[in-house]
Amino acid sequence: MSAGNIIRWFTRWVSPAALAAAGVFLITTIALFVPPYIGMADNGDYFRILYGNGLYFSAPDYNSQYLGYFVKQYGLLQYFNENGAALFSSQSLFIHMAMFLNGMLHSTEVFDIRFQAAIYTVLYTAAVYLLVEAVTWKLSRGIGYSIAALAIFMFADTGYTAYFSSFYSESVVLIMAMLVVASGLLLYRKRYNDYAMLAVFAVSALLLTTSKQQNAPVGVIMAIVGVVLVWIRGGRAYKSLTASILIGLFVVGIGTYVLIPKEFVNINKYHAMTRGVLMDSPDPEATLKAFGIDKQFAVLNRSIYYHPYTTVDVDSELLDKEFYSQYGFGSILAYYLTHPDQAGKMLNLAARSGFTIRPPAMGNYEISVGKPFGTQTVFFSGYSLLKDALAPKTFGFIIIWTLVVMGLYMPSFIAAIRARRMRLVLRLPLITMMILVGLSGILVSIIGAGDADLSKHEFLFTASFDLVSFLTIADLIARRLWGAQPAEPEDEPEAEPELAL
């Protein structure tokens, strides 16, 4: 077969979405399932999710591998599990799916984390396919392939996929955020069945919101901004179903916040004060007084909850009564609003960590590979390294980026409003929703936990930033920012569909 025939066959049968999905799948498979295996070391957070799901640390030298080395095998509890769940997270669903496959195909005593990585890889491949399909639908193959290459460069990066071989909830955050964007865009393009895409949107938004307590605002944001989804299609059944989904997301967002265990509330509150409010205060004692807290607690300034030796027991009744009970999320937010200089310092500090996909503290290799402690892979890490090196790490840049992106999409939004084409109105609210979701990741991080482990806490922002940036660049390449939208019939009120039971 000649080169010309191969090219014609390729362009006929391989869509840009298929190319992007295949590229991401191949690169991720090499990274995670071909020696030396890539994963992420435990920073001490694994215990929150492991024991409640029936897993335990089985490696005898596990403690010496914290932060430095990736561990791929864990023990499966054989008898009654007396450990309650330390926290509620949709991540547990995927862990139990992996445990089921592990038991069927590998062992009932030893859990190999690569079964979890395989589940995430398949879901991620599907998410990339839907995202690129939404962006490249009805584009020429040449333009579509260039966008697919961009998707591979950004989303096959091991800064993202190394999370799949870990017990961090960031894997769920990444995949579900991508599915939310993809399903929203497919509704906008009127690609695939509306009810199917609405279901993908609802499930992925639900799993994203409940993946970690920090994401509680996500459900609220998506419920409010997502109201536009109600009006993109006629029919009482569709409108009622969509409204019910949005109300459900709002309730789940509130519930996720309410269900945060007191232990983790105190950890976050401790850091919010000692690693946030007090850290840049010119007069820590006066700051404490403003919260109604005894000035003697200024001695805790810049301390960390996990320090083995502290001035006062962080779990003591004294701190519970005289310290933790005196402030909360609302009072800290009010403090920052009335102290803009201090708030600006914290936002810039957050911005410096907001463009780092892979936290610098955790290594990616197993100890058996022989790499130095904490070594991180550079395999297919071009995007994450470039982003970390070149992104202007100030909150001012984030504001400018937000205004530029929204400004670029505003003309088509206004045109859709004037034409009363509600489906075409959807794109800007969808992008705005993801920007707000990303910004919530920053604000919740600094208000809720100060500068403690910022680069990991801000993963929601960096994922949202990349998804929105990818859409913007792709639309620039395709000339779809201001130009004609995909040819589709104007939405007409539709008859009530018969729901098969």
Side-chain angles (χ1 to χ4, degrees):
M1 184 180 290
S2 66
N5 288 334
I6 292 175
I7 293 174
R8 281 191 290 273
W9 177 89
F10 186 87
T11 55
R12 179 179 180 182
W13 297 107
V14 180
S15 68
L19 176 63
V24 169
F25 180 81
L26 177 62
I27 294 165
T28 303
T29 299
I30 293 171
L32 304 187
F33 304 103
V34 176
Y37 306 113
I38 292 171
M40 291 190 73
D42 181 5
N43 71 346
D45 282 351
Y46 282 14
F47 82 94
R48 301 183 181 186
I49 198 73
L50 249 65
Y51 288 107
N53 286 296
L55 298 171
Y56 65 93
F57 304 106
S58 57
D61 59 343
Y62 191 90
N63 288 346
S64 66
Q65 299 186 55
Y66 277 114
L67 297 175
Y69 295 106
F70 155 57
V71 178
K72 72 174 184 289
Q73 292 189 331
Y74 298 82
L76 284 159
L77 292 172
Q78 299 299 302
Y79 306 104
F80 174 73
N81 183 10
E82 63 183 9
N83 301 286
L87 50 82
F88 172 78
S89 171
S90 58
Q91 181 188 0
S92 295
L93 170 66
F94 299 98
I95 292 176
H96 281 279
M97 290 171 60
M99 290 170 63
F100 175 78
L101 288 178
N102 185 92
M104 292 285 292
L105 304 175
H106 178 56
S107 170
T108 57
E109 297 180 356
V110 178
F111 176 73
D112 193 317
I113 201 171
R114 287 174 294 176
F115 283 96
Q116 176 190 270
I119 292 172
Y120 284 144
T121 299
V122 171
L123 289 173
Y124 192 52
T125 301
V128 169
Y129 179 90
L130 292 176
L131 179 67
V132 177
E133 177 69 9
V135 173
T136 61
W137 188 49
K138 293 191 175 180
L139 288 178
S140 68
R141 284 294 200 246
I143 294 175
Y145 289 148
S146 64
I147 294 173
L150 176 65
I152 294 171
F153 177 63
M154 292 179 68
F155 300 119
D157 194 288
T158 52
Y160 278 131
T161 58
Y163 276 106
F164 297 172
S165 285
S166 79
F167 288 109
Y168 300 119
S169 59
E170 277 70 14
S171 300
V172 181
V173 171
L174 173 63
I175 295 169
M176 297 307 143
M178 185 175 289
L179 284 172
V180 165
V181 174
S183 57
L185 280 176
L186 289 166
L187 283 166
Y188 162 76
R189 302 281 186 209
K190 206 175 183 182
R191 176 75 167 133
Y192 304 130
N193 179 271
D194 281 349
Y195 285 93
M197 290 302 100
L198 184 63
V200 173
F201 178 89
V203 173
S204 52
L206 175 66
L207 294 174
L208 174 60
T209 302
T210 56
S211 60
K212 57 196 306 183
Q213 277 67 34
Q214 177 187 337
N215 291 352
V218 171
V220 176
I221 292 170
M222 290 187 173
I224 295 173
V225 182
V227 168
V228 69
L229 287 169
V230 175
W231 307 107
I232 68 171
R233 177 186 172 112
R236 185 180 302 172
Y238 171 82
K239 292 181 183 296
S240 299
L241 176 62
T242 305
S244 299
I245 288 171
L246 296 176
I247 292 171
L249 282 175
F250 188 91
V251 172
V252 167
I254 300 298
T256 301
Y257 177 78
V258 172
L259 290 174
I260 300 176
K262 183 180 177 182
E263 175 191 354
F264 299 119
V265 170
N266 285 350
I267 293 171
N268 291 334
K269 288 178 73 173
Y270 186 90
H271 290 145
M273 184 61 69
T274 64
R275 302 296 308 177
V277 172
L278 296 180
M279 192 168 64
D280 287 318
S281 172
D283 189 347
E285 294 182 354
T287 297
L288 286 172
K289 185 178 180 181
F291 282 91
I293 301 173
D294 194 305
K295 65 181 181 180
Q296 67 177 328
F297 289 110
V299 72
L300 299 176
N301 188 17
R302 296 180 178 269
S303 63
I304 295 175
Y305 186 94
Y306 298 107
H307 277 162
Y309 305 106
T310 56
T311 308
V312 60
D313 182 2
V314 294
D315 293 319
S316 67
E317 187 178 347
L318 173 65
L319 251 64
D320 200 41
K321 288 184 176 181
E322 305 293 334
F323 191 70
Y324 299 129
S325 63
Q326 302 301 310
Y327 63 96
F329 186 92
S331 57
I332 291 178
L333 175 60
Y335 176 83
Y336 281 126
L337 290 175
T338 56
H339 296 77
D341 290 344
Q342 207 169 329
K345 290 179 181 179
M346 288 302 297
L347 288 170
N348 281 326
L349 179 64
R352 285 199 290 273
S353 300
F355 297 95
T356 301
I357 299 174
R358 183 193 294 120
M362 285 89 88
N364 295 132
Y365 293 99
E366 293 180 277
I367 192 170
S368 59
V369 175
K371 300 278 187 181
F373 187 90
T375 300
Q376 294 189 327
T377 183
V378 293
F379 173 72
F380 210 86
S381 298
Y383 176 70
S384 58
L385 294 173
L386 193 67
K387 179 182 177 183
D388 191 32
L390 299 183
K393 299 175 182 179
T394 66
F395 194 72
F397 168 73
I398 295 174
I399 293 174
I400 293 172
W401 168 80
T402 299
L403 294 175
V404 168
V405 169
M406 295 183 69
L408 288 172
Y409 284 101
M410 188 61 70
S412 62
F413 174 77
I414 294 173
I417 290 287
R418 289 175 174 170
R420 297 183 180 181
R421 301 189 67 183
M422 292 307 296
R423 190 177 292 268
L424 297 185
V425 168
L426 178 59
R427 185 169 60 167
L428 180 59
L430 178 66
I431 289 170
T432 303
M433 179 184 74
M434 292 310 300
I435 290 174
L436 291 175
V437 163
L439 291 176
S440 76
I442 290 180
L443 296 178
V444 170
S445 295
I446 62 174
I447 295 173
D451 75 338
D453 203 11
L454 261 181
S455 57
K456 185 169 174 293
H457 286 169
E458 292 185 293
F459 183 85
L460 182 60
F461 168 76
T462 197
S464 298
F465 177 89
D466 285 347
L467 287 167
V468 172
S469 295
F470 170 75
L471 297 182
T472 306
I473 295 170
D475 282 338
L476 282 169
I477 294 172
R479 299 180 181 179
R480 277 180 164 173
L481 283 172
W482 303 287
Q485 297 302 316
E488 74 218 5
E490 182 62 61
D491 291 320
E492 305 228 353
E494 301 175 33
E496 293 287 338
E498 294 182 6
L499 302 178
L501 297 179

